[in-house]
Amino acid sequence: MGRAILLDKVNIPGIRAFEVYREHGGYKPVDKGLLEMTPAQVQQEVIKSGLRGRGGAGFPTGLKWSFLDRKSGKPRYLVCNADESEPGTFKDRYLMEKLPHLLIEGLILSSYALGVKTCYIYIRGEFKYLVGVLENAIREAKQHSYLGEKILGTDFSLEIYVHPGAGAYICGEETALLESLEGKRGNPRIKPPFPAYKGLYDCPTVVNNVETLAAIAPIVSMGGDAYAKIGSGKSTGTKLISACGNINKPGVYEIEMGLPVEDFIYSEEYCGGISNGRMLKAVIPGGSSVPILPADLILNTAKGQPRLLTYESLSEGEFESGSMLGSGGFIVFDEDACIVRNTWNLTRFYRHESCGQCSPCREGTGWMEKVLYRIEHGKGRMSDINLLVRIAKNIEGNTICPLGDAAAWPVASAIRHFRGEFEFHVEHPEVIKSIKHVAIKME
Amino acid sequence: MKNKVNHHLFVRENKTVSFSDETLEKVRSLIRRYPEGRQKSAILPILHIAQEELGGYLSVDTMDYVASLLNLNPMEVYEVATFYSMFYLETMGKYVLEVCHTGPCAICGGEEVLHHIKDYLHIETGETTPDGMFTLKEVECLGACGNGPSMQINTEFYEHLTSRQVEKVIEDLRQNSEEGSSKGWAEQFS
Ligand SMILES: Cc1cc2nc3c(=O)[nH]c(=O)nc-3n(C[C@H](O)[C@H](O)[C@H](O)COP(=O)(O)O)c2cc1C
Ligand code: SF4
Ligand code: FES
């Protein structure tokens, strides 16, 4: 495997600069798209490619684009979601830092296809230094007539602006992001109406993830059919996986979809195995919001087939025995990791990040955190475990945005697969209290 | 003595605050990035600049000033400033240590690092050292999980932390207290 479509140029010295980028074939796809193809043809290639949104939900990008209201007569917007705040996910940061022009190419081609004249990159405020990197790439592209008025002498004009957030995970949710971009608190909107009809400033809007947009130039370059041949089944193309936790080689890897999880974890090309020769205990394969799977179920499905890095294979078995590809944030736990502690930790995250609009999410995340804290600190009761399951169930599906589900799934799945560990915490408070979870280790 | 954070939501200093001419120019060009009548959109970038250039936190005076620049009701600015975790509503130490305490960092030694900082600076989360140099904050995932444990100090990333490295970072900042971070907010925008 090891097929690089997005990251093929990543190791070229100085590739962040426009000149170097272009010397290595950069902006050729933009020339091709703008000079040889109609907007509809560009969109057609994206539809054919089978590309699915890389922000987490995996929604087909071409289909999303086809929903965009083109009849309203209002300006249309493209918003790049660079809010990347899902624990375990750090691929968009890597992509923007290493190959800012790949994103700019994608934004130009996508805007051309969608008939967009203004595009905003909403980037999380913590990535302040990347604001400068992107602004610089935009300035360079503009100097070379790839942005601004009448690009490459065509009738197509485009401005791209970088817009920083200011610390709020919820602003990654597309309607919260739009609220935030309008200068408000990041409270998700009730859908419908969908952004394709009423998005930014009540105008038709497409929101796409950084990695999704970065795939557009390669797709235009090789053609949608060729892209669709890469990968496996309905998981076409390559995916960036950001791997972290107890592995030898954390980092961002581009994989061809279909790579077996086992190869990804153990081969030298990728994670290089579990650190310190320990055993694999569990993996959260798609960012903190997706269900955790124990070692046996992440390596093989319940039916005994090897688990692959595809949307389909990772969700095989549904919630009973499966998970999701999500954002590709691959978090690995070794045998020493405490699942209860980790579940409490992640629930604290969701409690902190809940925008507070819906009571099931606002109250439920708070209750779950309190109960988990109690269990983790040796003060839990046996009935707490089912209480957690009940709270999670009551949040799921009863909220305005999917953050509620994202908070419920990790708790429900941790209990489903590691109930014994929760029970042990309740039954042996003395052991739990005496384990010093926090050992000061000086190198 | 430790300076415990005060829990007044807002601090009014009754001072006149204003940006330099150069910054004002930048602020105006930021506002022009959004359509006519949508100047409110510029609120986050401008609050970042304001916090950085006007005292390290957002006082009521600063927020009112930003409201006047954007032609907004001050309440609209307070509403936003209280929603986002990067905005500080009270005075902070010169260096704000924002240590990630989320899962992926926690399982890679983040908890040890956090405890070590507390021991080393003799402060708890939310407190500032008596000399006003360091404030400790715990934050959620910084998008640097592969290089964890990680923290930010005044939006600068520090990664692959160990207890010893944290001591070094703190001592370096103490020694060289003028050592600024890289480019400021206003300079990020072209
Ligand atoms: C709580 C929450 C947080 C999200 N965070 C992000 C994010 O940081 N980046 C992202 O691209 N999508 C995020 N999403 C998904 C977006 O709502 C949206 O589906 C995505 O940006 C669409 O882009 P895509 O189709 O290219 O994947 C989040 C969704 C939810 C519910
Ligand atoms: S589910 Fe949670 S985060 Fe989403 S709108 Fe409701 S309260 Fe806000
Ligand atoms: S968990 Fe610490 S940076 Fe992501």
Side-chain angles (χ1 to χ4, degrees):
Chain A
M1 299 258 171
R3 175 146 195 180
I5 292 174
L6 301 177
L7 301 182
D8 59 336
K9 302 190 184 69
V10 82
N11 291 321
I12 299 169
I15 195 66
R16 227 150 80 166
F18 180 91
E19 300 289 356
V20 181
Y21 190 73
R22 193 160 60 175
E23 258 165 49
H24 289 87
Y27 284 88
K28 280 224 177 79
V30 180
D31 296 341
K32 177 176 174 186
L34 268 52
L35 301 176
E36 296 168 25
M37 296 165 76
T38 64
Q41 284 172 327
V42 173
Q43 174 158 337
Q44 198 51 38
E45 294 308 314
V46 174
I47 292 173
K48 279 197 275 183
S49 74
L51 175 68
R52 293 166 68 173
R54 306 297 196 223
F59 193 82
T61 306
L63 190 58
K64 183 189 262 191
W65 287 10
S66 69
F67 293 152
L68 184 70
D69 179 9
R70 293 160 195 263
K71 299 203 188 87
S72 70
K74 293 185 192 166
R76 302 191 276 273
Y77 292 101
L78 172 64
V79 178
C80 169
N81 190 340
D83 193 54
E84 189 163 68
S85 315
E86 169 100 350
T89 315
F90 45 98
K91 66 188 175 73
D92 296 339
R93 175 187 174 197
Y94 182 83
L95 208 113
M96 291 185 285
E97 180 174 335
K98 300 285 181 184
L99 297 166
H101 281 293
L102 181 64
L103 177 58
I104 307 298
E105 283 184 290
L107 293 173
I108 299 172
L109 285 164
S110 307
S111 299
Y112 177 69
L114 296 166
V116 159
K117 293 198 180 80
T118 312
C119 167
Y120 295 99
I121 303 174
Y122 184 100
I123 185 166
R124 67 179 295 186
E126 289 86 346
F127 293 167
K128 172 184 167 193
Y129 74 106
L130 286 180
V131 173
V133 170
L134 292 168
E135 290 265 331
N136 192 47
I138 291 168
R139 197 170 44 230
E140 287 181 318
K142 207 164 182 169
Q143 277 162 4
H144 291 86
S145 179
Y146 280 100
L147 285 174
E149 293 292 315
K150 299 204 176 293
I151 295 171
L152 302 176
T154 65
D155 279 337
F156 173 58
S157 304
L158 175 68
E159 294 293 342
I160 302 177
Y161 300 113
V162 186
H163 182 103
Y169 165 69
I170 192 59
C171 291
E173 193 281 329
E174 57 186 9
T175 59
L177 184 154
L178 296 173
E179 286 287 297
S180 180
L181 187 47
E182 291 182 4
K184 302 179 210 151
R185 296 164 75 93
N187 289 334
R189 299 174 181 168
I190 294 173
K191 294 194 257 191
F194 290 93
Y197 281 85
K198 265 176 157 239
L200 184 62
Y201 310 130
D202 280 342
C203 296
T205 303
V206 166
V207 181
N208 272 135
N209 172 259
V210 171
E211 186 189 347
T212 311
L213 292 162
I216 303 299
I219 287 171
V220 167
S221 169
M222 72 174 73
D225 286 331
Y227 185 89
K229 290 206 183 83
I230 304 163
S232 160
K234 285 195 177 147
S235 299
T236 62
T238 61
K239 175 88 190 79
L240 298 182
I241 308 284
S242 60
C244 63
N246 307 128
I247 46 175
N248 283 320
K249 291 167 55 196
V252 176
Y253 298 102
E254 180 170 8
I255 56 116
E256 176 167 353
M257 281 210 258
L259 180 76
V261 171
E262 186 162 1
D263 290 1
F264 184 68
I265 297 176
Y266 290 103
S267 85
E268 272 313 305
E269 198 181 343
Y270 303 109
C271 304
I274 310 303
S275 35
N276 303 315
R278 289 206 172 80
M279 302 262 287
L280 172 67
K281 179 171 182 179
V283 172
I284 301 178
S288 63
S289 303
V290 311
I292 189 169
L293 289 179
D296 54 338
L297 283 176
I298 189 68
L299 298 176
N300 294 293
T301 65
K303 289 186 189 146
Q305 285 150 342
R307 186 82 76 179
L308 312 177
L309 287 170
T310 61
Y311 292 100
E312 293 77 20
S313 177
L314 278 169
S315 56
E316 159 99 40
E318 311 270 319
F319 283 126
E320 274 316 301
S321 61
S323 183
M324 285 189 282
L325 179 60
S327 62
F330 197 89
I331 313 169
V332 180
F333 299 88
D334 72 16
E335 56 193 297
D336 290 344
C338 173
I339 299 298
V340 177
R341 189 171 189 79
N342 184 67
T343 310
W344 162 58
N345 182 304
L346 291 181
T347 304
R348 178 181 62 185
F349 171 83
Y350 290 104
R351 195 261 304 146
H352 183 257
E353 301 299 336
S354 165
C355 84
Q357 277 192 110
C358 338
S359 14
C361 170
R362 181 187 61 239
E363 303 301 325
T365 51
W367 294 340
M368 291 198 301
E369 190 208 337
K370 270 196 203 127
V371 175
L372 282 161
Y373 179 90
R374 186 154 90 201
I375 299 176
E376 165 60 9
H377 291 82
K379 295 181 193 128
R381 304 172 209 132
M382 214 35 112
S383 58
D384 282 347
I385 302 173
N386 284 336
L387 176 61
L388 283 169
V389 175
R390 242 187 358 259
I391 303 174
K393 253 213 159 53
N394 285 330
I395 301 175
E396 220 184 306
N398 293 322
T399 56
I400 294 175
C401 92
L403 185 138
D405 301 343
W409 293 338
V411 175
S413 61
I415 295 177
R416 186 178 312 120
H417 299 301
F418 296 95
R419 186 177 271 269
E421 212 168 307
F422 287 83
E423 288 170 353
F424 183 89
H425 274 68
V426 173
E427 280 165 355
H428 301 280
E430 67 299 338
V431 181
I432 297 304
K433 282 181 195 157
S434 69
I435 296 174
K436 204 156 179 273
H437 278 288
V438 181
I440 306 280
K441 264 184 262 159
M442 292 285 273
E443 297 178 321
Chain B
M1 268 307 292
K2 297 164 186 171
N3 300 334
K4 187 82 189 153
V5 291
N6 67 53
H7 286 284
H8 311 157
L9 204 45
F10 299 128
V11 183
R12 188 186 284 283
E13 293 186 330
N14 291 317
K15 276 200 265 181
T16 322
V17 290
S18 62
F19 287 133
S20 66
D21 287 348
E22 200 185 333
T23 303
L24 263 182
E25 198 45 54
K26 191 54 75 74
V27 163
R28 289 200 193 98
S29 87
L30 283 174
I31 294 172
R32 282 195 298 274
R33 293 173 163 210
Y34 307 94
E36 247 345 290
R38 298 291 184 174
Q39 78 283 358
K40 186 173 179 176
S41 276
I43 196 165
L44 295 183
I46 293 175
L47 283 175
H48 279 304
I49 298 174
Q51 174 161 298
E52 192 175 74
E53 299 191 5
L54 302 174
Y57 80 108
L58 297 174
S59 65
V60 175
D61 318 72
T62 301
M63 290 189 280
D64 290 352
Y65 175 61
V66 170
S68 72
L69 290 175
L70 287 169
N71 215 354
L72 298 173
N73 184 321
M75 184 52 76
E76 295 178 81
V77 179
Y78 308 159
E79 251 176 20
V80 165
T82 48
F83 186 83
Y84 297 90
S85 65
M86 288 179 75
F87 297 132
Y88 311 142
L89 300 171
E90 59 220 342
T91 49
M92 298 300 248
K94 177 168 175 138
Y95 298 106
V96 186
L97 277 51
E98 298 189 291
V99 184
C100 172
H101 71 189
T102 311
C105 279
I107 59 171
C108 294
E111 298 190 340
E112 288 89 329
V113 164
L114 187 59
H115 274 251
H116 191 69
I117 296 176
K118 292 181 187 175
D119 286 350
Y120 191 70
L121 290 175
H122 305 291
I123 51 173
E124 287 298 318
T125 300
E127 292 178 344
T128 300
T129 52
D131 60 3
M133 284 286 276
F134 300 103
T135 301
L136 177 62
K137 258 186 90 181
E138 287 178 47
V139 295
E140 300 295 350
C141 179
L142 290 166
C145 331
N147 304 341
S150 47
M151 70 169 165
Q152 282 197 306
I153 303 179
N154 303 4
T155 63
E156 202 80 357
F157 275 96
Y158 294 80
E159 300 172 352
H160 298 294
L161 294 172
T162 61
S163 299
R164 210 179 282 296
Q165 262 174 315
V166 159
E167 287 180 17
K168 187 172 176 322
V169 170
I170 291 172
E171 288 315 317
D172 284 353
L173 291 173
R174 267 214 183 103
Q175 300 286 311
N176 191 2
S177 52
E178 280 316 300
E179 189 243 11
S181 49
S182 55
K183 291 195 291 179
W185 270 108
E187 290 164 273
Q188 301 288 341
F189 302 100
S190 34

